[in-house]
Amino acid sequence: MLMMKRQTGLSLIELMIGITIGLIIIAGVTSVYVATIGSSSDALAAARLNQELRAAMQVMTRDIRRAGFWGGAEPGDIDNPFTRDDTNLTVDGSSCILYTYDANNSGDIDYDNPGQWFGFTLTDDGAIGTLQGIAAGGTRTTADCSVWIFQRVTDPDFVTVTNLVFETDNYQCQNTTEATRNDCYNATPGDTSDDPVTDDYIVEGRQIDITIEAELANDPTVSASLATSVKVRNNRLYQQP
């Protein structure tokens, strides 16, 4: 009668092979898990960075759109105190924009009221700052960002803004006095044939193109950029000097 040999255990070689296969499986599962966690973390960080940039951009575009608003405006009025040379929207060094508007609907600009002066800039510590007031000893002007104090809109401990650009290349200008003189900026160097002349009435449509580039403060490899354009609602009307 044939007797079957009873299995009494695993040999050392079988045990080693089983352990090796198990370790390979565990290593593969761990690798996939770590890669998934890392990918999810990067995606979350990138989403937070983009959200921060969108929020900052929205704050800027909503306010810049109001530049030049005048509560006392009448149709065709060219005496808007918020679009004069010393109060008009100005880009200083491409990374700072300054402007005024009639925030309290008083009908005239109050040079001693910082609440009618506005702007944004790239601060030295890599944040977007919004205008808060004038520095000690400074003189209010929309042509010089250095005399103003700015408060951070973004947190430099979370996001480092590496570049902030305001561009006015897409301004449009119309000469309402003489249609043949409509090149208000002399786009062709040396050609002055269609430049406005003294006393011509000019309508200036202002569009600001904004670009933000930023990275996470604790991980510069996670970066993002955002660009948009904002059309200022209030055209500037003036008479050519």
Side-chain angles (χ1 to χ4, degrees), residues 131-145:
L131 188 149
Q132 287 296 298
I134 192 168
T139 302
R140 289 188 174 89
T141 171
T142 54
D144 185 1
C145 282

PDB file of all heavy atoms in Angstrom, residues 131-145:
ATOM      1  N   LEU A 131      -1.922 100.155  -1.824  1.00  0.00           N
ATOM      2  CA  LEU A 131      -1.583 101.457  -1.260  1.00  0.00           C
ATOM      3  C   LEU A 131      -2.393 101.737   0.000  1.00  0.00           C
ATOM      4  O   LEU A 131      -3.604 101.559   0.026  1.00  0.00           O
ATOM      5  CB  LEU A 131      -1.817 102.540  -2.306  1.00  0.00           C
ATOM      6  CG  LEU A 131      -1.338 103.956  -1.989  1.00  0.00           C
ATOM      7  CD1 LEU A 131      -0.934 104.671  -3.271  1.00  0.00           C
ATOM      8  CD2 LEU A 131      -2.447 104.755  -1.315  1.00  0.00           C
ATOM      9  N   GLN A 132      -1.690 102.184   1.058  1.00  0.00           N
ATOM     10  CA  GLN A 132      -2.331 102.459   2.335  1.00  0.00           C
ATOM     11  C   GLN A 132      -2.199 103.914   2.770  1.00  0.00           C
ATOM     12  O   GLN A 132      -3.038 104.436   3.472  1.00  0.00           O
ATOM     13  CB  GLN A 132      -1.735 101.567   3.426  1.00  0.00           C
ATOM     14  CG  GLN A 132      -2.176 100.117   3.314  1.00  0.00           C
ATOM     15  CD  GLN A 132      -3.662  99.953   3.516  1.00  0.00           C
ATOM     16  OE1 GLN A 132      -4.195 100.265   4.574  1.00  0.00           O
ATOM     17  NE2 GLN A 132      -4.351  99.454   2.506  1.00  0.00           N
ATOM     18  N   GLY A 133      -1.144 104.582   2.391  1.00  0.00           N
ATOM     19  CA  GLY A 133      -0.937 105.960   2.829  1.00  0.00           C
ATOM     20  C   GLY A 133       0.386 106.477   2.314  1.00  0.00           C
ATOM     21  O   GLY A 133       1.085 105.816   1.554  1.00  0.00           O
ATOM     22  N   ILE A 134       0.717 107.666   2.747  1.00  0.00           N
ATOM     23  CA  ILE A 134       1.930 108.310   2.264  1.00  0.00           C
ATOM     24  C   ILE A 134       3.025 108.203   3.310  1.00  0.00           C
ATOM     25  O   ILE A 134       2.768 108.251   4.520  1.00  0.00           O
ATOM     26  CB  ILE A 134       1.661 109.791   1.918  1.00  0.00           C
ATOM     27  CG1 ILE A 134       2.837 110.387   1.150  1.00  0.00           C
ATOM     28  CG2 ILE A 134       1.342 110.601   3.163  1.00  0.00           C
ATOM     29  CD1 ILE A 134       2.534 111.731   0.539  1.00  0.00           C
ATOM     30  N   ALA A 135       4.243 108.004   2.861  1.00  0.00           N
ATOM     31  CA  ALA A 135       5.376 107.901   3.761  1.00  0.00           C
ATOM     32  C   ALA A 135       5.677 109.263   4.391  1.00  0.00           C
ATOM     33  O   ALA A 135       5.334 110.310   3.832  1.00  0.00           O
ATOM     34  CB  ALA A 135       6.604 107.389   3.016  1.00  0.00           C
ATOM     35  N   ALA A 136       6.292 109.245   5.555  1.00  0.00           N
ATOM     36  CA  ALA A 136       6.617 110.474   6.260  1.00  0.00           C
ATOM     37  C   ALA A 136       7.482 111.375   5.384  1.00  0.00           C
ATOM     38  O   ALA A 136       8.495 110.943   4.831  1.00  0.00           O
ATOM     39  CB  ALA A 136       7.339 110.150   7.564  1.00  0.00           C
ATOM     40  N   GLY A 137       7.059 112.613   5.249  1.00  0.00           N
ATOM     41  CA  GLY A 137       7.816 113.570   4.451  1.00  0.00           C
ATOM     42  C   GLY A 137       7.564 113.506   2.966  1.00  0.00           C
ATOM     43  O   GLY A 137       8.108 114.289   2.199  1.00  0.00           O
ATOM     44  N   GLY A 138       6.719 112.579   2.537  1.00  0.00           N
ATOM     45  CA  GLY A 138       6.450 112.434   1.113  1.00  0.00           C
ATOM     46  C   GLY A 138       5.405 113.416   0.619  1.00  0.00           C
ATOM     47  O   GLY A 138       4.645 113.984   1.392  1.00  0.00           O
ATOM     48  N   THR A 139       5.399 113.617  -0.682  1.00  0.00           N
ATOM     49  CA  THR A 139       4.400 114.480  -1.314  1.00  0.00           C
ATOM     50  C   THR A 139       3.538 113.627  -2.218  1.00  0.00           C
ATOM     51  O   THR A 139       4.055 112.870  -3.040  1.00  0.00           O
ATOM     52  CB  THR A 139       5.079 115.583  -2.148  1.00  0.00           C
ATOM     53  OG1 THR A 139       5.934 116.355  -1.301  1.00  0.00           O
ATOM     54  CG2 THR A 139       4.036 116.492  -2.773  1.00  0.00           C
ATOM     55  N   ARG A 140       2.235 113.751  -2.081  1.00  0.00           N
ATOM     56  CA  ARG A 140       1.335 112.897  -2.839  1.00  0.00           C
ATOM     57  C   ARG A 140       1.483 113.131  -4.338  1.00  0.00           C
ATOM     58  O   ARG A 140       1.376 114.242  -4.817  1.00  0.00           O
ATOM     59  CB  ARG A 140      -0.116 113.133  -2.406  1.00  0.00           C
ATOM     60  CG  ARG A 140      -0.394 112.593  -1.004  1.00  0.00           C
ATOM     61  CD  ARG A 140      -1.880 112.670  -0.682  1.00  0.00           C
ATOM     62  NE  ARG A 140      -2.143 112.026   0.604  1.00  0.00           N
ATOM     63  CZ  ARG A 140      -2.103 112.650   1.765  1.00  0.00           C
ATOM     64  NH1 ARG A 140      -1.817 113.940   1.822  1.00  0.00           N
ATOM     65  NH2 ARG A 140      -2.340 111.993   2.880  1.00  0.00           N
ATOM     66  N   THR A 141       1.691 112.037  -5.054  1.00  0.00           N
ATOM     67  CA  THR A 141       1.798 112.097  -6.505  1.00  0.00           C
ATOM     68  C   THR A 141       1.531 110.711  -7.063  1.00  0.00           C
ATOM     69  O   THR A 141       1.868 109.709  -6.446  1.00  0.00           O
ATOM     70  CB  THR A 141       3.191 112.571  -6.959  1.00  0.00           C
ATOM     71  OG1 THR A 141       3.310 112.401  -8.381  1.00  0.00           O
ATOM     72  CG2 THR A 141       4.301 111.794  -6.282  1.00  0.00           C
ATOM     73  N   THR A 142       0.903 110.639  -8.219  1.00  0.00           N
ATOM     74  CA  THR A 142       0.681 109.344  -8.858  1.00  0.00           C
ATOM     75  C   THR A 142       1.822 108.973  -9.785  1.00  0.00           C
ATOM     76  O   THR A 142       1.705 108.034 -10.557  1.00  0.00           O
ATOM     77  CB  THR A 142      -0.630 109.361  -9.663  1.00  0.00           C
ATOM     78  OG1 THR A 142      -0.606 110.463 -10.576  1.00  0.00           O
ATOM     79  CG2 THR A 142      -1.830 109.453  -8.764  1.00  0.00           C
ATOM     80  N   ALA A 143       2.926 109.677  -9.713  1.00  0.00           N
ATOM     81  CA  ALA A 143       4.039 109.380 -10.612  1.00  0.00           C
ATOM     82  C   ALA A 143       5.199 108.695  -9.901  1.00  0.00           C
ATOM     83  O   ALA A 143       6.163 108.301 -10.539  1.00  0.00           O
ATOM     84  CB  ALA A 143       4.538 110.666 -11.273  1.00  0.00           C
ATOM     85  N   ASP A 144       5.125 108.537  -8.572  1.00  0.00           N
ATOM     86  CA  ASP A 144       6.265 108.032  -7.821  1.00  0.00           C
ATOM     87  C   ASP A 144       5.794 107.099  -6.711  1.00  0.00           C
ATOM     88  O   ASP A 144       5.235 107.533  -5.711  1.00  0.00           O
ATOM     89  CB  ASP A 144       7.057 109.211  -7.245  1.00  0.00           C
ATOM     90  CG  ASP A 144       8.334 108.766  -6.559  1.00  0.00           C
ATOM     91  OD1 ASP A 144       8.619 107.545  -6.553  1.00  0.00           O
ATOM     92  OD2 ASP A 144       9.058 109.628  -6.038  1.00  0.00           O
ATOM     93  N   CYS A 145       6.046 105.804  -6.880  1.00  0.00           N
ATOM     94  CA  CYS A 145       5.614 104.822  -5.881  1.00  0.00           C
ATOM     95  C   CYS A 145       6.421 104.909  -4.590  1.00  0.00           C
ATOM     96  O   CYS A 145       5.967 104.437  -3.546  1.00  0.00           O
ATOM     97  CB  CYS A 145       5.742 103.413  -6.448  1.00  0.00           C
ATOM     98  SG  CYS A 145       4.403 102.951  -7.572  1.00  0.00           S
TER      99      CYS A 145
END
